[in-house]
Amino acid sequence: MDYMLSIDQGTTSSRAVVFDHGGRVVAMAQREFTQYFPQLGWVEHDAKEIWQTQLAVLREVLMHAGITARQVRALGIANQRETTVLWDRQTGEPVAPAIVWQDRRTTGFCEALRTAGHAPVIAAKTGLVLDAYFSGTKLAWLLDHVPGARLRAERGELAFGTVDSWLLWQLTGGRVHATEPSNASRTLLFNLKSGTWDEDMLALLNIPYAVLPQILPSCGQVALTDPQWLGASVPIAGWAGDQQAALFGQACFAPGMAKNTYGTGCFMLMNTGDQPVVSQHQLLSTVAWQGPGTAIRPLAYALEGSVFMAGATVQWLRDGLQIIESAAQVEALAASVPDTGDVFLVPAFVGLGAPDWDGQARGALVGMTRGTGRAHIARAALEAIALQTADVFRAMSADSGLALSELRVDGGASKNNLLMQIQANVLGVPVVRSQISETTALGAAYLAGLATAYWSGADELSAQWQEERRFLPQWEEYQRMAHAQRWREAVARSRSWAHS
Ligand code: ADP
């Protein structure tokens, strides 16, 4: 019997999962690591701690599963995206703390680039909006602020990587410095169409070529782990950024298939096939993965839209308003009323993401009467998560010209049945919850398993995918349209509220 081993290196914890041939979870291990907030708007990780916790859970999960590394066919890696590590090639030591995707320190640099008129070219080349979120300006910041870093980088003494590269470097004992296209497409340095580092972007951000990792396929045997880590060498054969891995784990292999993950925020990704789609609605265009060839296309692309406040809206009901004691209680409270009584909550607490992208928008609660109670507000909060998702969903359909026939869902808040039913109602297509909740780790295992013939192809994996529950739309078209219209009126009232 052999197994697949998977890394899910997330923003707050490192996880490892063992899967069997049926795609079932055999064992799982998880460790949290330290978050550093050294200044307002800054978020850092200790890259060494990321590696140490990751190695610890890899060893732990093999123990839990009762297997040795020799019984592992291959290892897959899914990772938090955009987080930027810069290290010394000689010693393997990071030269500074890793700058996490949430870190806003390069906002000023992005504004300067925007003022200079670079945003349209950047969007055309990279598929990304010009924002501090992505790695390129974070790397530029490190090169400019760590003493001696730029000179050393130009001499080829330093290595840059997102967390996938950093883990690969460590796992191979410092032998391989590489990344793969889905992670590379989040750096602002990668040309979406050519699939290579973009010289103009490197020049614009003043990044020396010598610091960059080699780009290898997402699905293919890229290296062997150093035997010192797990007791034997394991082939590393599949890797992708966490959201792309989840799209793969949800078996969204065909163009037009989409998944939405309901966590703190929502991440919706839609497979757009072998062409990147230029968004007219401020969605991101990104690499989904680079497949092995036949059944899965060589370079697959995705559209991506994020909603900032999804599960976090429920946290606000719990911690801010204190009308529930636990996140799970929101379902019963919201279900105690048949509708919101025309109340809408626009959770623009940190501005609005796709498709509105309004940093000045702020939260709004509109339509209240004397009859409005906490249950209406709770229900309006769930509707807000679903309505924001529906806005992104409609933008994706319009951008891609592909009619979405269903939405596959995962993440902590997707356990809420009422939320999922509301989601189906406002979307007008079925919402399908998968049996397996570890879709991110599974996606990495699938990529590695296809590369090592553990699984035969996309068809076998599609057959393996099982729905746990399907929510069918219960609203008529006119109801859906009227509700969407009302929601957009509420959104309009939340816009441009804060002034910088
Ligand atoms: P993340 O990976 O972003 O930390 P998770 O997938 O663990 O998120 O989901 C946690 C989020 O889901 C929290 O924001 C929480 O408020 C929300 N949540 C958890 N359970 C429910 C529920 N039953 N209904 C609605 N939201 C929920």
Side-chain angles (χ1 to χ4, degrees), residues 158-229:
L158 301 184
F160 150 72
T162 38
V163 171
D164 53 312
S165 300
W166 169 245
L167 291 177
L168 185 74
W169 171 274
Q170 294 293 345
L171 284 163
T172 59
R175 277 191 289 276
V176 185
H177 181 216
T179 185
E180 56 71 50
S182 78
N183 275 291
S185 72
R186 319 293 298 186
T187 60
L188 282 175
L189 307 174
F190 180 82
N191 189 300
L192 260 196
K193 294 197 186 90
S194 69
T196 56
W197 299 121
D198 186 283
E199 282 179 22
D200 296 338
M201 286 306 303
L202 294 175
L204 184 64
L205 300 183
N206 198 13
I207 306 292
Y209 199 88
V211 83
L212 298 175
Q214 180 190 1
I215 300 171
L216 297 174
S218 322
C219 179
Q221 293 206 36
V222 292
L224 291 173
T225 63
D226 192 299
Q228 68 172 309
W229 304 130

Side-chain angles (χ1 to χ4, degrees), residues 262-264 311-312 314-315 327-328 330 411-413 416:
Y262 298 78
T264 308
V314 175
Q315 287 169 16
V330 71
N416 185 319

Side-chain angles (χ1 to χ4, degrees), residues 86-96 152 156-160 166 169:
L86 185 64
W87 68 94
D88 184 320
R89 290 181 191 273
Q90 199 68 44
T91 63
E93 289 291 318
V95 300
R152 298 194 61 208
E157 293 170 18
L158 301 184
F160 150 72
W166 169 245
W169 171 274

Side-chain angles (χ1 to χ4, degrees), residues 12 243 261-265 267 310-316 318 324 326-331 382 385 410-417 419:
T12 57
Q243 297 303 327
T261 301
Y262 298 78
T264 308
F267 286 97
T313 314
V314 175
Q315 287 169 16
W316 175 72
R318 185 193 61 196
I324 48 174
S326 70
Q329 280 178 6
V330 71
E331 185 166 359
L382 295 186
I385 298 171
D410 52 48
S414 74
K415 296 190 183 79
N416 185 319
N417 291 330
L419 171 61

